[in-house]
Amino acid sequence: MRETVTSTHCPYCALQCGMNLTPAADGRSVEVSERADFPVNRGALCGKGRTAPAVLSSAVRLTSPLVRSAAGTLEPASWEEALDRIAQGIGGARAEHGADAVGVFGGGGLTNEKAYALGKFARVVLGTSQIDYNGRFCMSSAAAAGGRAFGLDRGLPFPLEDIPRTGCVILVGSNPAETMPPALRYFTELKENGGTLIVVDPRRTRTAEQADLHLAPRPGTDLALALGLLHLVVAEGLTDEEYIRERTAGWEDTRAAAMAHWPEYVERITGVPVPQLRKAVRLFCEPEHAMVLTARGPEQQAKGTDTVSAWINLALATGRPGRPLSGYGCLTGQGNGQGGREHGQKADQLPGYRKLTDPAARAHVAQVWGVDPDSLPGPGRSAYELLDALGTDIRALLLMGSNPVVSAPRAAHVEERIRSLDFLAVCDVVLSETAELADVVLPVTQWAEETGTTTSLEGRVLLRRRAISPPAGVRSDLEVLHELAARLGGEGSPEKRFPADPEEVFEELRRASAGGPADYSGITYRRLAEENGVFWPCPSPAEPAEPADPSEPAEAAGAAVHPGTPRLFLDRFATEDGRARFVPVSHRAVAEEPDEEYPVLLTTGRVVAQYQSGAQTRRVDELNAAAPGPFVELHPRLAQRLGAAEGDPVAVVSRRGRAVAPARITTAIRPDTVFMPFHWAGEGRANTLTNPALDPTSRMPEFKACAVRLEAVRP
Ligand SMILES: Nc1nc2c(c(=O)[nH]1)N[C@H]1C(S)=C(S)[C@@H](COP(=O)(O)OP(=O)(O)OC[C@H]3O[C@@H](n4cnc5c(=O)[nH]c(N)nc54)[C@H](O)[C@@H]3O)O[C@H]1N2
Ligand SMILES: Nc1nc2c(c(=O)[nH]1)N[C@H]1C(S)=C(S)[C@@H](COP(=O)(O)OP(=O)(O)OC[C@H]3O[C@@H](n4cnc5c(=O)[nH]c(N)nc54)[C@H](O)[C@@H]3O)O[C@H]1N2
Ligand code: SF4
Ligand SMILES: [Mo]
């Protein structure tokens, strides 16, 4: 193999760090080296990115399709046999119970091309409304709140490079020191430049340790906290009245809601002392520029949408959004968490961030797909509701890019629902805990073996490039959809409409997204190869009237190329009248308040060395050495009451089930709260405990707060 260096991006989180890959001597893997020309991470990588090649050549990597045998075991099979079995399983469910008996579950790690093809496959080939994806568990609350305030959801409406130049950042429920280490630099530079950092987290995380002010609310009370801060802003006359008048609507109701939340009342709810609230308001309001950034802490709540709205209201009342170096943003999580929510794998959505219920959107996309608009199904169920319906009215499931047996709330129930399916097909790179339950498992190519685009947390569309050939026996997700379309699509060679070539898919995605909120029509692979990404919206240039010299191609004649949009809303918001909307919200309790039986709150999250359900990172020795297994983080006071010493097994019991993991005792957590990371299966699985109570708007489960009791475990 030729020694060529390929510039590409990390397979894991939404920072999408740039990296260079060189094929390793054996041709099965790659070596990672620094890629200094990509400005977002400037060569820096976390341990997950650095070790990502280990999964390419891992001994547990799947290289043959697996089909469940009569004896009940998964056995290697040919691609033909495996694909035929899927066609039978899915086709059988559809024939017997109708199109909606077939479900599709996708992932925010899938490239734009895959997410687009999967959504189209569900609607055009399967004709099912029952498609959703794991992004519902991720940023859906922020997306809903951003949409209703600004008329558009792009996680960050400005590039990360603006952070060091603002005056103050309130970082709510986000732990970049562990979840996006190379991005921590933006916050340390902010401080070096004289700005201040406020971190809101029930735990004193490694991020909170960097903060000028750390507010440690009780989990699930961020909504009240934001209202309390807004109350003080109003009481101290710190609102930006001119901005409110010129650029917003709906202030009066929001103001009234905030006035009902006295600081002392908010202190009682959140546990954050009033003087700290006052200090936060002063730090946030004094500088000319300031930002509020949220992540999963406030968002993964059964009131996550309203909670984010409360933080947006604070930003609006102080005149921040749509002004330079200021505003509100959500730090999206998965590798393609942003693009994955734009192109149609979400239950209610069509490509280009269009609404499935909008007749004009249906007509446009149906025309690109060459189908009758009336043939497109309506919106289906959200992720948890879909998983909960498995084995009842959904009889067969095609799953691509998620491992819900580990990552879904109330996981034991979800596992039981998955087992009750008539048929399950999983595409994965390893035998995940969910793939273990499948009737057919298809082994797919990984990041370094295929080309495709992702859209980073900044809204920057990037090209991930193939650096090596995949192992024999492995095919891409796009090839899988191509083959399944041929088998399940009926007449008229529908597989032609599902090309396996990613650039062909992207060309179609461009047309499907044209004119939509997330318009990619001005972006091409060629541009992405030459530029360090392009920020959407990027419409295609208006058709040039007539090139000055008709013998010249339009581009050479200077047809304007849209530069992309790094910063949104500077002139107007994406609402009809151009004004941002205040949304009046009020505090409400967590779905499951502690009581005598379950007196402690459990919250969940991440550690730096493991990724998500761990399906990939738990196969990497170096990462396992750094983070070998689950743990229960608890305050010494709780530990003492329990009689548990550091490392002792502790049982955490909720109304959903019981998990056991070693105690990790620290004063960095509130005494009324315990924390578990969710990366592991088995006895220490955090999601055995979590509450599937859903946010009424975003349908986000309450991963960040449920009532539990602790029990000592006799070793
Ligand atoms: N190492 C690693 N990095 C990752 C990932 C990973 O799995 N591992 N996953 C990626 C993905 S998909 C995502 S979504 C991002 C997530 O990135 P983050 O949002 O930073 O991650 P979390 O650890 O889920 O939650 C952040 C913090 O919220 C706090 N928190 C818990 N409950 C509450 C609450 O009620 N209120 C507030 N204000 N805070 C609370 C937790 O203590 C935690 O420190 O990370 C991405 N990066
Ligand atoms: N308790 C608790 N639970 C949580 C959270 C929490 O904070 N607390 N966070 C939630 C959040 S934010 C998220 S994003 C979810 C994530 O949880 P999951 O949806 O389970 O995400 P991953 O572990 O990334 O799963 C991706 C799966 O797809 C495979 N895969 C990777 N790339 C590809 C590909 O290109 N094609 C195919 N076919 N497969 C691929 C991987 O090997 C893996 O098995 O977890 C949620 N669950
Ligand atoms: S921060 Fe995210 S994108 Fe960057 S190397 Fe780590 S996992 Fe990869
Ligand atoms: Mo996520």
Side-chain angles (χ1 to χ4, degrees):
M1 187 169 289
R2 259 185 325 131
E3 274 279 304
T4 40
V5 175
T6 306
S7 295
T8 189
H9 297 273
C10 176
Y12 297 122
C13 86
L15 200 57
Q16 284 299 285
C17 292
M19 52 169 67
N20 284 332
L21 303 182
T22 314
D26 63 2
R28 283 290 308 274
S29 189
V30 290
E31 274 152 28
V32 169
S33 60
E34 186 174 306
R35 176 180 170 194
D37 72 309
F38 187 62
V40 175
N41 63 309
R42 289 192 226 146
L45 297 171
C46 79
K48 298 184 296 302
R50 242 186 329 96
T51 59
V55 190
L56 296 167
S57 55
S58 165
V60 298
R61 164 98 194 254
L62 296 174
T63 52
S64 164
L66 302 173
V67 171
R68 196 157 299 276
S69 69
T73 51
L74 280 172
E75 300 297 338
S78 71
W79 272 91
E80 288 306 302
E81 185 190 344
L83 289 163
D84 288 346
R85 275 285 286 269
I86 297 179
Q88 280 163 21
I90 287 180
R94 182 172 63 180
E96 202 174 329
H97 305 283
D100 275 355
V102 180
V104 177
F105 201 92
L110 301 177
T111 59
N112 288 314
E113 291 78 1
K114 295 178 184 184
Y116 171 82
L118 191 64
K120 178 181 170 187
F121 179 80
R123 273 104 187 192
V124 172
V125 173
L126 301 176
T128 181
S129 67
Q130 300 299 306
I131 174 170
D132 211 47
Y133 79 121
N134 69 5
R136 185 74 71 169
F137 296 159
C138 188
M139 32 32 67
S140 58
S141 295
R148 68 190 186 186
F150 308 125
L152 184 70
D153 152 49
R154 196 185 83 188
L156 287 178
F158 40 73
L160 287 167
E161 68 182 51
D162 286 2
I163 291 174
R165 297 188 291 147
T166 190
C168 175
V169 174
I170 310 185
L171 193 53
V172 192
S174 165
N175 185 12
E178 305 234 21
T179 53
M180 291 182 188
L184 197 63
R185 158 171 78 82
Y186 293 99
F187 300 98
T188 47
E189 283 174 12
L190 163 74
K191 290 179 36 162
E192 284 159 19
N193 292 343
T196 52
L197 176 64
I198 303 173
V199 170
V200 182
D201 196 307
R203 305 185 301 138
R204 192 175 67 250
T205 58
R206 278 155 58 192
T207 308
E209 278 168 4
Q210 307 284 321
D212 298 277
L213 178 63
H214 172 209
L215 310 180
R218 192 167 170 266
T221 63
D222 302 79
L223 205 175
L225 184 70
L227 281 163
L229 297 176
L230 185 56
H231 181 108
L232 285 169
V233 165
V234 175
E236 294 176 16
L238 296 169
T239 51
D240 186 335
E241 292 298 326
E242 190 188 328
Y243 172 96
I244 291 173
R245 217 171 31 246
E246 302 292 325
R247 299 208 56 187
T248 72
W251 169 231
E252 274 316 311
D253 289 343
T254 289
R255 183 180 184 281
M259 293 326 281
H261 289 73
W262 289 89
E264 293 73 15
Y265 172 53
V266 168
E267 174 177 324
R268 266 207 313 283
I269 297 169
T270 63
V272 178
V274 174
Q276 286 189 10
L277 298 175
R278 289 190 191 285
K279 184 171 177 194
V281 165
R282 186 166 52 73
L283 292 178
F284 184 65
C285 291
E286 261 172 16
E288 186 184 348
H289 311 296
M291 294 175 180
V292 178
L293 302 177
T294 64
R296 301 309 80 78
E299 299 168 12
Q300 288 174 327
Q301 301 184 13
K303 54 178 179 295
T305 307
D306 282 358
T307 300
V308 175
S309 285
W311 287 100
I312 292 176
N313 289 343
L314 177 71
L316 286 172
T318 50
R320 305 307 191 178
R323 288 239 176 101
L325 305 177
S326 293
Y328 163 78
C330 145
L331 296 165
T332 296
Q334 296 185 85
N336 193 30
Q338 180 67 50
R341 74 209 209 208
E342 299 165 0
H343 299 297
Q345 58 178 330
K346 195 162 170 252
D348 55 357
Q349 193 196 56
L350 287 171
Y353 224 135
R354 289 184 158 94
K355 285 201 177 74
L356 190 48
T357 47
D358 171 4
R362 293 170 70 90
H364 171 81
V365 175
Q367 177 253 322
V368 174
W369 288 352
V371 298
D372 177 354
D374 291 335
S375 73
L376 298 178
R381 292 182 178 89
S382 76
Y384 179 76
E385 291 163 297
L386 192 157
L387 295 171
D388 189 35
L390 300 180
T392 59
D393 51 327
I394 301 179
R395 313 296 316 178
L397 182 73
L398 172 66
L399 185 135
M400 197 177 262
S402 181
N403 184 13
V405 165
V406 177
S407 59
R410 197 187 174 197
H413 171 73
V414 166
E415 184 175 339
E416 183 252 314
R417 292 287 88 220
I418 291 174
R419 286 180 191 277
S420 74
L421 279 165
D422 296 342
F423 183 80
L424 172 65
V426 174
C427 302
D428 208 313
V429 302
V430 291
L431 196 64
S432 72
E433 286 75 9
T434 308
E436 279 174 23
L437 307 181
D439 298 286
V440 180
V441 183
L442 298 178
V444 292
T445 49
Q446 298 190 36
W447 57 292
E449 300 158 351
E450 59 183 21
T451 293
T453 62
T454 60
T455 306
S456 79
L457 79 172
E458 297 180 296
R460 193 195 286 256
V461 184
L462 300 163
L463 186 62
R464 262 203 215 147
R465 294 183 182 83
R466 173 177 166 135
I468 48 166
S469 312
V474 161
R475 296 190 189 176
S476 76
D477 291 301
L478 292 177
E479 285 176 271
V480 168
L481 294 176
H482 174 82
E483 291 292 334
L484 290 179
R487 284 168 174 75
L488 285 159
E491 293 138 44
S493 61
E495 75 276 15
K496 293 232 170 60
R497 293 196 258 140
F498 289 85
D501 174 57
E503 187 166 6
E504 256 184 77
V505 178
F506 189 79
E507 285 300 307
E508 188 184 305
L509 181 159
R510 289 177 62 198
R511 283 185 282 126
S513 76
D519 190 333
Y520 283 37
S521 59
I523 306 175
T524 58
Y525 269 31
R526 208 180 87 194
R527 262 188 90 172
L528 293 178
E530 288 162 4
E531 300 172 36
N532 265 327
V534 177
F535 291 81
W536 71 258
C538 180
S540 60
E543 291 299 318
E546 278 297 305
D549 173 355
S551 68
E552 262 179 63
E555 231 171 309
V561 169
H562 192 285
T565 316
R567 294 175 183 83
L568 292 167
F569 312 140
L570 291 176
D571 302 323
R572 65 195 306 280
F573 294 99
T575 52
E576 230 157 71
D577 59 8
R579 289 166 176 271
R581 292 281 178 289
F582 281 99
V583 179
V585 288
S586 292
H587 165 70
R588 48 190 196 271
V590 296
E592 191 179 55
E593 277 289 349
D595 54 20
E596 264 176 35
E597 215 183 330
Y598 300 98
V600 175
L601 274 177
L602 168 74
T603 192
T604 60
R606 295 160 166 80
V607 297
V608 65
Q610 295 290 352
Y611 190 69
Q612 312 275 63
S613 73
Q616 291 154 285
T617 49
R618 280 188 273 118
R619 324 285 173 178
V620 181
D621 295 341
E622 186 182 330
L623 299 176
N624 281 333
F631 57 86
V632 181
E633 188 176 293
L634 77 171
H635 193 273
R637 236 183 281 165
L638 266 185
Q640 198 189 13
R641 225 179 297 155
L642 200 63
E646 178 74 14
D648 282 357
V650 169
V652 185
V653 185
S654 80
R655 287 183 177 84
R656 271 80 42 203
R658 172 190 170 96
V660 179
R664 191 174 284 187
I665 302 171
T666 169
T667 55
I669 188 164
R670 293 173 54 96
D672 57 4
T673 302
V674 296
F675 169 84
M676 288 180 78
F678 77 99
H679 309 294
W680 290 273
E683 197 184 41
R685 179 174 67 184
N687 277 319
T688 300
L689 307 165
T690 47
N691 185 356
L694 299 181
D695 179 281
T697 307
S698 67
R699 318 305 283 167
M700 165 73 84
E702 188 137 88
F703 286 119
K704 289 295 193 258
C706 75
V708 295
R709 71 165 176 269
L710 305 181
E711 290 170 1
V713 176
R714 300 285 148 252

